[in-house]
Amino acid sequence: MSTDLHAPPVLSTPAEYLYEHQTALPGRETRPDRSDHELFEVYEIARTASEIQARDWRRVALQFPDAMLADAPWVVGALGRELALRKVEPPRLYVLADTSYSACCVDEIAAEHADADAVVHYGRACLSPTARLPVLHIFTRQALDRGSVVEAFARHFADKATKAIVVADVMFQEHVAPVCALLRSQGYARVVATNIIHDPSSPIPNRSIESPDPAEPEHHAHQHLHEYHLFHISTPPTSLLLTLSSRLASLHIYPTPSSPYTTTTSPLDPSTTPSMLRRRYALVLRLVTASVIGILVNTLSVKNYMSTIGALREQIAAAGKKSYTIVVGKLNAAKLANFAEIDGWVVVGCWESGLVDQDGLFKPVITPFELSLALQSDETRIWTGEWWGGIEGVENTVSRDTEPARPQKTEEEEEEETFAEDHEGGIDDDESEPPVFDLRTGKLVSNSRPMRVTIRSSPSATNATQPSDSSTASRAGGSAIVKRGTGEIALVNGVASPGAEFLRSKRTWQGLGSDFNSSENEERSTVVEEGRSGVARGYTVGEELTRS
């Protein structure tokens, strides 16, 4: 039996402790104490203030990744002080914290909510071209032990005649030229440095290759890239590792010490790249038999993303499959699981975020480049190990892989073909195509091209090619077998819709009222009545003033 209470229970914090508890900012507990001078150099305050002054920006959005968000208040104050020293009226500064999509992309949507004139992006960046706002990239300046880098390079490449390209993460880019100079002083004459450019479609994404010899053309390394080894300072993103695996002779990574300004990740092993590519090709084979493909929009800022979506739609439609365009914000397994009718996804995003981790996902998520392989026939699908995660080049892929347009036929020719198919056992091109088998299970997949099968059975197609009553009667007498409409599917506004068919045939709950079967329950639904209203102290029922 419980003891009697002699005092009321404490249900709230005393008022005197209200302002004593302080919530720690993210990352502050692991961040070392740095002086204002160090932070001034890391965040390039002087350069940022000069750009704001030169371009006369009045409303500026400052985008920080999670690892740098703790320094955002200091950066805002430092920019205000620096602009005041230059006798410039400080602009309105807005901090963008929770990005709409990936942190490497510029969040133009959030910046437009603040009506910003420009965006200052801090930290790592994919450098994908933006569509609307000007962007100033501040990669931040990180310290690096260059002597340790040179020693690691010498351990990987004992032969000083080795052709090597030195690449660094954007946060360590300022160390590339000094490291290459140290290597050349030690006898590595064929070491090539790189510079940052805003071109993800370049042979090394967002990098241009310098020529160590002025007499040698600059594009020589681009033409003979497979002869060079790559030495990467700091752990690269997995998408870059997969992209460069087929373009260079070998990849070597110098992992930088864990920094509070970078996301802590385990160093990648380049030797695992072939196994990762094999897993990616297995996902491609799963999309071969997919009938409904979802176009997953993972960016609203990368330039030409709208034209890419249109090109993917045309490419999927040319293969006889159905596509749906979905925008869900940041991706996770729970969001994608809501679309059970989707057999697979293709991501429209930057070249880094296009590689989606498959852990916990029910359906495969691939890139536009992988989709172009999946939509090819078994005879033409040849995978050379090349891989790409961005949307660049999708238009060229569509024009190359899309079937050529067939010349329009007259009504007489269409009637003759229809008569031949119905009378003499003729079959159309779709029915004569080879069967599609799932390479994982070995089973026959009969609905891998639902849009091709339903064209002939849809009412619009039937009415368009329906002959007159007299000709139909004369032809029906000579036909011993009446062809049954195959692939019957739900229509929306006269267009075949696999999604509507899935809703009708496979979903057990189709919305409010879907559980009411008029054939089983003859009773009509209850008339809607006005319920109770008011506050918890007492409700009124309808127009009456009685309380309940």
Side-chain angles (χ1 to χ4, degrees), residues 35-350:
S35 64
D36 290 349
H37 176 72
E38 290 177 321
L39 292 175
F40 191 91
E41 295 296 329
V42 168
Y43 287 100
E44 303 184 49
I45 300 299
R47 178 188 164 212
T48 306
S50 298
E51 291 288 343
I52 294 176
Q53 180 182 4
R55 304 188 185 186
D56 194 23
W57 291 335
R58 307 311 309 158
R59 302 172 69 90
V60 182
L62 309 179
Q63 180 178 341
F64 293 86
D66 293 342
M68 299 182 181
L69 190 58
D71 290 334
W74 185 92
V75 173
V76 172
L79 284 175
R81 292 189 296 270
E82 182 66 20
L83 290 171
L85 291 176
R86 299 167 182 251
K87 297 182 180 181
V88 177
E89 181 183 357
R92 295 290 299 271
L93 301 178
Y94 300 88
V95 177
L96 307 183
D98 187 16
T99 56
S100 302
Y101 294 96
S102 303
C104 64
C105 298
V106 177
D107 194 352
E108 288 186 321
I109 303 302
E112 288 183 339
H113 289 170
D115 195 19
D117 299 327
V119 179
V120 180
H121 185 280
Y122 291 93
R124 285 204 68 261
C126 60
L127 300 180
S128 298
T130 55
R132 292 177 287 272
L133 295 178
V135 181
L136 173 62
H137 286 283
I138 303 297
F139 303 127
T140 68
R141 306 180 66 178
Q142 304 297 326
L144 182 67
D145 186 357
R146 297 171 183 173
S148 177
V149 176
V150 172
E151 293 177 0
F153 185 92
R155 288 195 300 268
H156 286 296
F157 307 105
D159 186 7
K160 294 189 177 182
T162 302
K163 295 181 179 180
I165 300 176
V166 178
V167 181
D169 188 84
V170 292
M171 302 176 68
F172 297 91
Q173 177 61 32
E174 62 176 339
H175 302 284
V176 172
V179 167
C180 290
L182 290 175
L183 290 173
R184 294 191 190 104
S185 65
Q186 295 187 7
Y188 291 95
R190 295 190 174 184
V191 171
V192 180
T194 54
N195 293 320
I196 292 180
I197 59 175
H198 293 252
D199 185 11
S201 61
S202 58
I204 299 179
N206 295 320
R207 296 296 187 275
S208 64
I209 303 175
E210 294 182 354
S211 177
D213 186 4
E216 186 180 10
E218 183 179 354
H219 56 80
H220 173 77
H222 288 284
Q223 296 177 350
H224 303 82
L225 199 62
H226 61 279
E227 300 177 0
Y228 285 79
H229 303 268
L230 187 133
F231 184 80
H232 197 282
I233 300 175
S234 187
T235 302
T238 308
S239 57
L240 179 61
L241 192 66
L242 295 179
T243 301
L244 298 180
S245 61
S246 61
R247 301 183 182 181
L248 292 107
S250 66
L251 302 175
H252 301 274
I253 299 174
Y254 174 79
T256 53
S258 178
S259 170
Y261 296 95
T262 58
T263 304
T264 303
T265 56
S266 57
L268 295 175
D269 185 4
S271 62
T272 62
T273 304
S275 61
M276 288 190 291
L277 290 175
R278 286 193 295 269
R279 287 194 293 268
R280 299 302 305 180
Y281 189 65
L283 297 178
V284 171
L285 296 181
R286 291 180 61 182
L287 263 292
V288 171
T289 58
S291 58
V292 182
I293 298 176
I295 301 176
L296 197 57
V297 181
N298 197 29
T299 182
L300 295 176
S301 302
V302 177
K303 191 176 181 180
N304 298 329
Y305 80 95
M306 287 297 296
S307 60
T308 301
I309 295 175
L312 290 175
R313 288 175 178 171
E314 294 178 1
Q315 188 175 358
I316 295 172
K321 302 177 184 293
K322 179 67 176 178
S323 65
Y324 292 96
T325 304
I326 308 294
V327 182
V328 296
K330 290 186 177 180
L331 305 182
N332 58 53
K335 291 179 180 180
L336 300 186
N338 291 324
F339 304 96
E341 55 270 41
I342 303 295
D343 297 324
W345 302 91
V346 55
V347 177
V348 176
C350 72

